[in-house]
Structures are given as C-alpha cells and as structure tokens.
Amino acid sequence: MIKGGPKKDLQGKQIQSILISQPKPETEKSPYFDLAKKFNVKLDFFPFIKVEGLPAKEFRKQKIDIPGYTAVIFTSRNSVDHFFRICEEMKIKVSQDCKYFCITEAVALYLQKFILYRKRKVFFGADGSTKGVLEVMNKHKDNEKFLFPSSDSQKKDIEEWLKANKCEYATATLYKTVSTDVKEVLGATSYDMIVFFSPSGVKSLFENVPGFVQNGTHIGAFGPTTSAAVEEAGLRLDVKAPQPQAPSMVAALEQYLTSLGKK
C-alpha cells in the first residue's frame, strides 16, 4: 500500500485537499486524521447544512398525539434527538412498551442516551439501508401504530411503504435542514475533492455556488440517497459509500486514494 505524497488521478491531477461537508471531529483520534497523515492530504471540515428543531408550538399544529403510537421509526440521530426533545418540551412520557425501528445499528445504539435499551423493543436493518429496516418492520406492521419523526426534506420512501401496506401511521415533522453559508470556504480554497453526506448538502452547494462546474473536482457521497442526489445534480460520482469492502467514508476514501496512487 502506497503511503505519503499526494495521489494522482487518471488525468494527472493531484488530490491534495479534501473538503468534508461535516463538522470537524471533536477528538483527534478520528480516523479522518489518520487518513490525512497516511496520504499527506489536507482535510478541511465545514458543514454544508445545519439542523433547526421545530418549536413545540409549531409541532402542536400538526395535531399528533405522540402517546397514541406504539412504534417509532428513526432514520438518523437527528430524528432521535428531536423526537425526545419535543417529548421533553411537551412533558410527554413515552411508554416503556414503545418499539423503535432504526435504519442502522448505530442509530439504534444511540437510543441508549434516552431509553433503557432492550433488544426486544429496539430493531434495526441488517445492512443500513431503507430496504433493510422495512423488512424488519414488515414482521410487525399488523400490530403497530407507527410514528415517523422526520425533517421537512425527508425522502418519501418509508411513507410510501407505510401507505402501500395500509399501516396506521403519522409523519411528524420535527426539524428542518437549512443551508449554511459556505461561499467563503469554497472561495478560499480550490478543493480537489468534496464529500457529501446528505442530499441537502448537495442542494446547499448549488445554493451557495449556483454556477458550480465540477471540472476535475472529485466527488464523494455517503448513503444511497446522497449518491442519487449527486448524480441527479449532473455531477460525476467518484467515491461511493458504504460498500461491502468500505463500510465507512474513511474506508472508501482510503481505497480510492490508494487506487489513484497505483496508477
């Protein structure tokens, strides 16, 4: 495995700088910093979006009785945070019998911040995909009343499945994603690669730089919906995660940089 030195792409352009469209890791032990040292690349972190919680006053207008639901569907840590935030603000006590269906094991484990974690009431998809969690939900769909906490820009695939399977459910909009101002960041440095983690991040890029032209900029995307958003925007997708041999974005970047170094 090649170490050190900027890696070249097929056209000979060097990848020396990568912009990660997320907040900088709080710990220096993050694998991102190991990646930067290993390949001698400059890594910058800057979130392209921010999440704003809907106030309880606004949520009440949706007329959703949270205690009336027997199961909650979580697709992200944000949805977990804002569900329990709203419950706290409205002084709602969630039943200990409530079931939780999570898109990944990581989201399921995150629930430990808020509940006594018991496997018989916390479920998650095997592969981290929407299809995976829907397969788990399918076994329970006849006995549960589902609540789906989401953002204002949530993909509709889970709602469509619930509707198609005649499930009793409600979608609760608890937070919204807002584009951050990244014009200064993008203007200060010409990055060789930009890595996205949500469709909203891709949207933010074009809101900040309407005339963005990819040219030789490499693009990475984490998650199927993010990958789809990159391609729908007419961009070339160079690094896609998760993959069987690259479950994380760091692993996918490592494979990509290594492959470029071998050219």
Side-chain angles (χ1 to χ4, degrees):
M1 188 173 290
I2 299 174
K3 296 184 180 181
K7 305 306 174 229
K8 296 182 179 180
D9 66 13
L10 295 176
Q11 290 74 42
K13 181 183 176 182
Q14 295 179 331
I15 292 185
Q16 297 176 311
S17 59
I18 302 175
L19 178 58
I20 306 294
S21 61
Q22 282 191 327
K24 185 177 180 180
E26 296 179 357
T27 171
E28 291 299 319
K29 293 182 180 180
S30 167
Y32 277 110
F33 299 124
D34 295 333
L35 182 81
K37 291 177 182 177
K38 181 175 183 177
F39 292 96
N40 192 26
V41 295
K42 179 176 182 280
L43 281 187
D44 284 343
F45 297 85
F46 196 91
F48 277 40
I49 59 172
K50 59 182 177 180
V51 174
E52 295 182 353
L54 206 68
K57 181 180 177 181
E58 291 295 315
F59 172 71
R60 286 191 180 95
K61 295 178 182 178
Q62 298 177 47
K63 297 182 178 179
I64 293 174
D65 178 31
I66 291 177
Y69 293 85
T70 61
V72 186
I73 305 163
F74 291 124
T75 56
S76 68
R77 292 184 179 185
N78 279 326
S79 63
V80 176
D81 283 334
H82 289 285
F83 172 75
F84 287 101
R85 173 187 60 81
I86 282 289
C87 288
E88 184 177 352
E89 287 182 14
M90 297 178 66
K91 295 181 170 54
I92 294 171
K93 187 174 182 180
V94 182
S95 170
Q96 291 186 358
D97 296 323
C98 185
K99 293 185 176 67
Y100 302 96
F101 294 87
C102 306
I103 195 163
T104 64
E105 184 178 12
V107 172
L109 292 172
Y110 187 66
L111 278 169
Q112 293 177 105
K113 283 186 63 176
F114 304 94
I115 66 167
L116 182 62
Y117 190 94
R118 298 201 308 271
K119 289 186 177 180
R120 62 186 177 86
K121 73 172 185 177
V122 180
F123 308 87
F124 53 87
D127 59 359
S129 69
T130 300
K131 181 182 178 183
V133 73
L134 291 179
E135 287 175 352
V136 178
M137 287 167 55
N138 191 55
K139 301 173 184 177
H140 300 265
K141 67 178 187 292
D142 297 330
N143 303 314
E144 305 297 339
K145 186 176 180 182
F146 295 97
L147 182 62
F148 181 31
S150 70
S151 72
D152 58 336
S153 58
Q154 188 81 36
K155 197 180 176 190
K156 302 298 182 183
D157 48 0
I158 290 179
E159 282 186 76
E160 291 169 357
W161 183 90
L162 289 164
K163 189 180 296 183
N165 284 273
K166 296 182 172 56
C167 297
E168 199 171 354
Y169 79 96
T171 300
T173 301
L174 301 182
Y175 58 101
K176 59 183 178 179
T177 54
V178 180
S179 296
T180 53
D181 187 350
V182 296
K183 290 187 285 292
E184 186 175 339
V185 174
L186 293 172
T189 305
S190 179
Y191 290 97
D192 301 318
M193 176 181 282
I194 303 175
V195 180
F196 296 98
F197 295 85
S198 72
S200 299
V202 179
K203 179 183 176 184
S204 176
L205 170 67
F206 286 96
E207 287 183 351
N208 278 276
V209 189
F212 178 80
V213 179
Q214 183 173 8
N215 291 328
T217 305
H218 297 243
I219 300 291
F222 187 85
T225 57
T226 310
S227 297
V230 167
E231 293 174 335
E232 286 167 8
L235 301 176
R236 184 191 70 253
L237 181 58
D238 301 293
V239 182
K240 186 177 180 180
Q243 298 279 14
Q245 302 303 317
S248 68
M249 179 49 72
V250 170
L253 288 172
E254 181 172 5
Q255 286 187 6
Y256 189 64
L257 293 172
T258 299
S259 69
L260 296 182
K262 291 179 179 178
K263 296 296 181 183

